Amino acid sequence: MRKWHRWVSVFFGVFMLWIAVTGVLSQVAVLWPAGAPDPAAQAAATPPAGFECPDGWRCQPPRANATGIRSMVGTFHHLHSGETFGTIGTIISVLSGLALVFFSISGIWLYVQMWRFRSDRKLAPRWFWK
């Protein structure tokens, strides 16, 4: 298991770093504070005359056009999902997600194996060791 864990990490480590960085940038862009509201954008965001929100729905006015880093949310999403690089990028993104699942399971498996090895050798039980 250790051999597979090591070899898969050599290939997918770069892609997982890419996915992590673009995912963080995507969330930072969403959470980035918006600038001062534009009065023209607020006027355009009002619903048309005669519009009524259907029962049980929570209607919101359309969002004004984003500016600054918020305007890049879509770009970060396409980079994060691999869509920018076509079908191959999407496939690599999905495989990287599956690799992350593999690393999680194999990492826990390796930890349990090391824990059992220490226990069998009658060494002091610890959560972490050198």
Side-chain angles (χ1 to χ4, degrees), residues 21-67:
V21 168
T22 56
V24 168
L25 287 174
S26 178
Q27 293 303 315
V28 166
V30 169
L31 297 174
W32 198 264
D38 182 13
Q42 284 181 341
T46 58
F51 175 80
E52 291 184 24
C53 188
D55 291 337
W57 288 65
R58 187 183 74 174
C59 296
Q60 297 178 347
R63 293 183 180 172
N65 291 340
T67 58

